[in-house]
Amino acid sequence: MTLTAGCILVCVHIWRDGFVTPVHVIGGGLAGSEAAWQLAQAGVPVVLHEMRGVRKTDAHQTDGLAELVCSNSFRSDDWQFNAVGLLHEEMRRANSLILKCADKHQVPAGGALAVDREGFSRAVTKALEEHPLVTIVREEVTSLMDKPWSNIVCATGPLTSEALSKVVLELGGEGHLSFFDAIAPIVHADSIDMSKAWKQSRYDKEGPGGDAAAYINCPMDKDQYEAFIDALLSGPKAEFKDWEHVPYFDGCLPIEVMAERGRETLRYGPMKPVGLTNPHNPTVKAHAIIQLRQDNALGTLYNMVGFQTKLKHGAQADVFRMIPGLENAQFARLGGLHRNTFIQSPKLLDRQLRMKAVYPEKSIRFAGQVTGVEGYVESAAIGLLAGRFAAAEARGTTLPEPPETTALGALINHITVGHLEGGAFQPMNINYGLLPPMEAPKKDDDGVKIPLKERGRAKKRLMSLRALNDLNSWLEPHKTMVSAE
């Protein structure tokens, strides 16, 4: 349900007299929405504060909860051989609202889990608005310590408002680190010339929906590629005030920055010409290929995969229409940049994600990208954990952290221990390198020797099986968490 701030006080007194003191979740993005859901499903009342509706951000376009700002992809859904897919599976087993809505609103994307971003956001918003223990308040929260709230989850994300950022900075005594994310353009499907482009997933790999032709591919020969690189490098870029150096996150580099690192960089990145055959000219190998991924359920919008950009809007259409098949492209959204912020979590947070400087006076937990995880799924995962930790505390107990052998536990390790030696704490996606290692198996389950080149995959599968087994052991004693169904 959605109430005004004035109605909240009455609800708080009712909850305090008869039930559990409510937990206040600040931020209605992926992490905040997931945290609120986990709390409510555990029987703990939640007040979810979201400023969109009264104040806009630099990147969001709607007031919907869990709006996807950049890509519409949750990346690989392969739990056996990919750490992101493993995290998907762990979250499904922990009754994640974000994964439930993503599965319900998936669109074709090869081996990835991609969603209709509008349908996904509507589903998350509806689930929380209709939950009897969730109250949504549209307001900007600008202070923490002077609020009569004892249990808080701060999930304001990389676009934390300046006012709240200053509060967090003062409480923690540690400077914020900032970097910039770039947003990829979205193209109207009917403006793509399919006499030059074609549909195919790389290596014809089927995704969760069973579609092996989930991407639209646009080929380039060498001359076209070289001309495109020249245009990227010479095109007018967004300017930054008061910044001599822009610290980008390597997993979301603008294509111009990649091109600046070498003319062949894009051919080994988002434009790699492998695993694809052009049916219009099957005997000629493309020099580079641009892929577009379905962005909505209707299939009317496609986003340019890996084409985050800092080109000024006036130049984007001209440069991207140099791509064969996109000569007459109509853009539903052009690319852009927005500033991200994260905290020095290993110094500021304990293993329960609480700010050490103010605990036990207050329990202020942090969740999402602001903690130093990178990616939609990772952000939601930290929201899931923060929600469960806060729910246990609201009921007078303590929930232990998930085992470090799980993807969830590995993320907790990353943001509360980190690797500060030799460099500053940096955002990171989930990967097998964050999990305790295992020895690669030499034989399969039937005793057959595994070829050396395949042992890496076999090792990943063993680590995934161990993770899910250990996760089940962690979840088993805590079945008070209600199913997401």
Side-chain angles (χ1 to χ4, degrees):
M1 59 182 157
T2 304
L3 299 179
T4 63
C7 298
I8 293 299
L9 295 177
V10 176
C11 298
V12 168
H13 287 303
I14 293 174
W15 286 331
R16 283 179 173 166
D17 292 340
F19 302 98
V20 179
T21 301
V23 175
H24 290 259
V25 177
I26 307 171
L30 292 168
S33 296
E34 185 66 64
W37 179 258
Q38 294 290 328
L39 281 155
Q41 291 295 87
V44 176
V46 186
V47 181
L48 177 59
H49 305 263
E50 170 53 52
M51 74 177 184
R52 283 179 296 121
V54 296
R55 179 178 173 182
K56 293 183 178 180
T57 74
D58 293 334
H60 291 90
Q61 294 186 327
T62 76
D63 296 336
L65 301 179
E67 178 185 339
L68 304 182
V69 173
C70 299
S71 169
N72 71 323
S73 174
F74 284 17
R75 311 191 328 273
S76 174
D77 202 45
D78 182 354
W79 70 264
Q80 295 190 79
F81 303 110
N82 189 287
V84 178
L86 171 62
L87 186 56
H88 289 181
E89 182 60 24
E90 290 186 11
M91 293 175 67
R92 289 185 179 107
R93 296 189 183 196
N95 299 320
S96 164
L97 174 65
I98 296 302
L99 264 293
K100 176 187 175 184
C101 293
D103 288 336
K104 187 174 181 180
H105 292 277
Q106 70 177 29
V107 296
L113 173 60
V115 302
D116 175 333
R117 67 178 75 220
E118 292 183 2
F120 168 78
S121 176
R122 283 196 300 268
V124 174
T125 303
K126 184 174 185 290
L128 291 172
E129 284 181 341
E130 294 180 352
H131 200 295
L133 291 181
V134 177
T135 302
I136 301 172
V137 184
R138 297 288 181 168
E139 65 175 3
E140 180 184 0
V141 176
T142 58
S143 62
L144 296 175
M145 293 303 291
D146 61 350
K147 300 286 188 182
W149 309 338
S150 59
N151 199 340
I152 301 169
V153 176
C154 188
T156 49
L159 297 172
T160 300
S161 69
E162 183 178 356
L164 190 57
S165 292
K166 289 181 179 179
V167 170
V168 174
L169 178 61
E170 291 170 359
L171 291 177
E174 287 288 339
H176 284 71
L177 303 178
S178 300
F179 61 99
F180 283 77
D181 262 352
I183 302 171
I186 295 177
V187 179
H188 288 281
D190 60 7
S191 68
I192 301 172
D193 185 352
M194 296 305 293
S195 69
K196 297 179 180 178
W198 75 96
K199 282 192 171 184
Q200 184 187 6
S201 297
R202 206 177 296 279
Y203 299 109
D204 299 311
K205 185 175 182 179
E206 291 188 0
D211 192 335
Y215 293 79
I216 291 178
N217 302 280
C218 299
M220 279 186 173
D221 61 27
K222 189 175 188 302
D223 289 342
Q224 290 168 333
Y225 176 80
E226 293 295 337
F228 181 72
I229 296 298
D230 288 339
L232 279 181
L233 294 174
S234 63
K237 316 295 192 301
E239 297 178 357
F240 304 96
K241 296 180 180 179
D242 303 322
W243 285 89
E244 294 181 358
H245 173 66
V246 180
Y248 295 105
F249 170 61
D250 275 348
C252 198
L253 287 175
I255 53 172
E256 306 84 11
V257 174
M258 285 188 272
E260 289 168 357
R261 294 182 174 183
R263 297 184 69 88
E264 292 291 286
T265 302
L266 288 171
R267 290 187 65 240
Y268 289 91
M271 296 175 68
K272 56 181 177 287
V274 298
L276 299 163
T277 301
N278 183 355
H280 305 303
N281 198 358
T283 62
V284 177
K285 181 177 176 60
H287 188 72
I289 294 176
I290 296 88
Q291 287 197 306
L292 296 94
R293 179 178 55 234
Q294 187 172 327
D295 201 78
N296 64 345
L298 293 175
T300 57
L301 299 175
Y302 276 74
N303 67 68
M304 299 176 68
V305 178
F307 266 56
Q308 303 84 215
T309 180
K310 62 175 183 174
L311 281 173
K312 288 187 175 181
H313 280 186
Q316 284 186 39
D318 291 339
V319 174
F320 295 144
R321 285 175 181 150
M322 296 174 65
I323 298 170
L326 300 186
E327 292 92 343
N328 299 305
Q330 297 298 312
F331 296 91
R333 183 189 73 186
L334 290 168
L337 281 172
H338 61 90
R339 179 176 175 174
N340 278 353
T341 303
F342 61 97
I343 61 175
Q344 284 273 20
S345 292
K347 292 184 177 181
L348 300 183
L349 305 183
D350 66 16
R351 299 280 290 175
Q352 289 277 311
L353 301 175
R354 294 174 298 216
M355 179 172 276
K356 291 182 283 189
V358 300
Y359 181 77
E361 181 181 355
K362 276 184 184 287
S363 287
I364 302 178
R365 287 179 171 83
F366 285 81
Q369 274 187 266
V370 74
T371 65
V373 294
E374 179 60 30
Y376 290 149
V377 184
E378 292 87 341
S379 297
I382 299 301
L384 183 152
L385 291 169
R388 285 182 167 243
F389 292 155
E393 183 172 323
R395 297 168 123 183
T397 62
T398 299
L399 175 67
E401 305 89 54
E404 63 178 8
T405 52
T406 65
L408 288 168
L411 287 175
I412 286 282
N413 265 355
H414 169 62
I415 63 177
T416 60
V417 178
H419 298 280
L420 293 174
E421 303 86 355
F425 173 65
Q426 290 290 332
M428 187 173 291
N429 294 117
I430 186 63
N431 61 82
Y432 284 110
L434 295 180
L435 280 67
M438 294 182 74
E439 185 176 350
K442 296 180 180 179
K443 296 182 179 180
D444 62 19
D445 295 339
D446 297 322
V448 179
K449 187 176 181 179
I450 301 174
L452 187 62
K453 65 180 181 179
E454 295 179 11
R455 289 179 187 174
R457 279 175 56 82
K459 177 181 176 180
K460 290 178 179 179
R461 185 172 184 275
L462 275 183
M463 294 175 72
S464 293
L465 289 171
R466 177 186 64 178
L468 295 179
N469 181 67
D470 291 351
L471 180 80
N472 289 340
S473 297
W474 179 70
L475 291 172
E476 184 65 28
H478 311 289
K479 286 191 172 178
T480 52
M481 296 294 179
V482 181
S483 170
E485 293 298 330

